[in-house]
Amino acid sequence: NDSTAVDRNSRIGFKGSEDLGNGMKAVWHIETDVSDAAWGDRPVFVGLTGDFGTFAMGRQYAPYKVSTGKLDMFADTIGDYNAVIGAQSGAGGANFETYASAVAYVTPTVNGFHAAIARGSIAGATDSDAWSMAAVYSNGPLYAALGYETQDSLLAVDQDAWKAGIGYSFGNSKVGFVYENIDNDNANSDTDNFILNFGHKFGANTFKIQYGDSDVDNGADADYWAVGLDHAFSKRTKVYAIYADAEAGLSLNNGRWGNGNNTAYNNDA
């Protein structure tokens, strides 16, 4: 049901770091959509990183969003799981999968575990306040994450969400699952979202399929699915074909926000 032309991931950005001594670095990042006239309209931040973890401030993806981003097999495409995850079918609430101005802290990774917390504003909302948190475990074939976020503003935004995700790789295959609950006090609604996916690599090709469902307790219920095939020419170059479908109440265009890899939370500058 997506007949609108959408440029999802034509971007250009720069990032860097400055060694400050004693294992500490200053980091920075600026990014923009190539198709937009405004420079720096995507994540832009500065921060400090070291043995203590990472502090960053500026426009960036919240820990809640990033926590399960790696479990989206169709990130930044027409099949992006944001058609369901972060969405509230027919409920009229704000989306939990955008970026916002925030101050964030990410702990060091210890035995595959790290946590993150951020306080900031809601994208596009006036006099808004949001807290976002995540805990992630990534070790070998197992990836597991928990996320929580609460949002409030003078524009009647009063909602919170939590989600849990798990992914597992075995041989040339991998599976992923994300469950999310969004409590929207504005619309007096409660939304349950989930996605389930499977991918298998054979040679330079990867087949993948993903299904999701959004169920709002006021009666709105919609699902989506996507199927695709990637062909890799190298580690950095590939072509792909995807078909996706979403029922009324969901939008395939939600994927334009990206999966949150280009942030201080996941920064490798």
Side-chain angles (χ1 to χ4, degrees):
N1 66 354
D2 183 0
S3 60
T4 303
V6 177
D7 186 354
R8 298 175 187 280
N9 49 17
S10 295
R11 307 164 186 164
I12 185 170
F14 303 91
K15 63 182 179 180
S17 64
E18 175 73 12
D19 191 347
L20 303 179
N22 298 318
M24 186 166 62
K25 293 182 179 180
V27 296
W28 61 272
H29 179 110
I30 182 169
E31 180 184 338
T32 191
D33 281 316
V34 173
S35 58
D36 289 350
W39 175 255
D41 57 351
R42 289 183 56 82
V44 179
F45 58 82
V46 295
L48 290 174
T49 185
D51 295 338
F52 53 83
T54 300
F55 285 95
M57 61 184 299
R59 187 164 62 249
Q60 54 192 305
Y61 289 121
Y64 178 85
K65 172 180 174 57
V66 181
S67 62
T68 59
K70 290 185 177 180
L71 298 175
D72 184 5
M73 292 188 181
F74 291 88
D76 295 348
T77 70
I78 193 70
D80 195 299
Y81 80 173
N82 289 160
V84 171
I85 299 301
Q88 300 165 73
S89 174
N95 196 299
F96 279 86
E97 293 288 310
T98 65
Y99 38 70
S101 297
V103 176
Y105 169 68
V106 186
T107 70
T109 298
V110 179
N111 295 324
F113 174 84
H114 76 269
I117 185 170
R119 183 181 185 276
S121 61
I122 307 166
T126 303
D127 293 326
S128 61
D129 182 64
W131 283 93
S132 184
M133 291 162 273
V136 176
Y137 178 79
S138 180
N139 196 354
L142 179 63
Y143 183 91
L146 291 172
Y148 173 79
E149 183 167 320
T150 179
Q151 301 179 352
D152 179 68
S153 84
L154 293 180
L155 297 180
V157 174
D158 184 7
Q159 57 185 358
D160 58 79
W162 69 270
K163 62 180 173 178
I166 187 167
Y168 190 78
S169 300
F170 52 99
N172 292 327
S173 301
K174 59 182 179 179
V175 294
F177 175 79
V178 178
Y179 170 81
E180 176 182 57
N181 176 264
I182 301 176
D183 184 10
N184 185 344
D185 289 340
N186 310 326
N188 193 27
S189 67
D190 189 80
T191 303
D192 293 303
N193 299 326
F194 79 85
I195 64 101
L196 178 66
N197 56 36
F198 170 80
H200 179 74
K201 183 177 181 180
F202 54 101
N205 305 297
T206 301
F207 168 80
K208 51 192 181 181
I209 186 169
Q210 188 160 272
Y211 172 80
D213 180 82
S214 181
D215 184 8
V216 184
D217 61 4
N218 63 14
D221 187 11
D223 61 11
Y224 113 108
W225 61 273
V227 60
L229 182 68
D230 297 351
H231 178 77
F233 293 106
S234 68
K235 289 183 178 181
R236 298 191 300 174
T237 305
K238 72 176 181 181
V239 294
Y240 62 82
I242 295 172
Y243 180 83
D245 179 82
E247 291 184 333
L250 298 177
S251 173
L252 297 176
N253 285 333
N254 283 347
R256 69 178 294 269
W257 296 109
N259 66 357
N261 285 334
N262 296 326
T263 66
Y265 181 24
N266 256 358
N267 186 57
D268 60 357

